[in-house]
Amino acid sequence: NGKLIAVNVVMLKLFYLLPVSVVLAGIGTLLDAEERKLVRDRTGREVTENLVKVDFAPPLIAFGPRFLQRFIKISIGPCTDVILDTPFVGSKLRLGRGATSGSRFVFGRVSASDGKGTSSAKFWQQLVASPPLSGRTVGTLLLLALLLRV
């Protein structure tokens, strides 16, 4: 039906200590020739046939070791929609560009098996499978943490 799943995952260690994963997932639609022409005319940039519009859900931020990140996560920020172009798609590398902003992205393919149990390529699915903590829960946990330090 022309729809695709677009997922960006960034995994890092905050202050070299706390593992954090940020997931941005959305539904993409490949733009047709007429829509590509409108984008090209509006931005003055050449675009490829790989031009997509992606409607992203709010970012999901998970904390802690991987096995706990399914439970310790928050969703923060608005939904966004972007138009992305992918001028180069290789077997290990993908070059992307924001069609309206011109921002450039380099994505590397993650292998299906990384030796850590759950593949990094599929780890995002575990994170989005259950709802994040509510604002009330996060507030309660922060209040408890403050009270326990006193």
Side-chain angles (χ1 to χ4, degrees):
N1 63 2
K3 302 287 184 189
L4 55 99
I5 297 174
V7 180
N8 295 326
V9 179
V10 176
M11 300 171 97
L12 58 109
K13 284 198 175 180
L14 189 62
F15 305 116
Y16 297 98
L17 297 172
L18 179 66
V20 176
S21 297
V22 180
V23 178
L24 193 59
I27 303 296
T29 307
L30 195 59
L31 299 183
D32 62 28
E34 185 177 319
E35 293 167 316
R36 290 192 306 269
K37 182 181 181 319
L38 288 172
V39 171
R40 185 173 40 251
D41 292 346
R42 190 176 72 198
T43 63
R45 291 188 185 91
E46 287 301 315
V47 296
T48 70
E49 291 184 359
N50 296 327
L51 194 67
V52 295
K53 179 179 185 249
V54 183
D55 296 310
F56 283 111
L60 186 67
I61 305 169
F63 303 92
R66 278 178 129 186
F67 71 93
L68 286 178
Q69 287 190 9
R70 287 183 292 174
F71 310 106
I72 307 172
K73 60 187 175 187
I74 59 173
S75 179
I76 189 167
C79 292
T80 56
D81 60 76
V82 297
I83 298 176
L84 302 170
D85 196 7
T86 309
F88 175 79
V89 179
S91 61
K92 295 186 180 197
L93 189 70
R94 180 175 293 195
L95 302 178
R97 184 180 66 212
T100 54
S101 68
S103 300
R104 292 182 169 93
F105 309 93
V106 178
F107 298 101
R109 183 176 301 272
V110 178
S111 67
S113 174
D114 61 8
K116 298 178 184 173
T118 303
S119 159
S120 292
K122 295 183 187 261
F123 181 61
W124 69 272
Q125 293 171 331
Q126 289 182 357
L127 295 179
V128 301
S130 61
L133 296 173
S134 68
R136 177 175 281 176
T137 301
V138 171
T140 302
L141 291 172
L142 288 173
L143 182 61
L144 282 173
L146 286 173
L147 290 173
L148 291 174
R149 289 183 166 248
V150 173

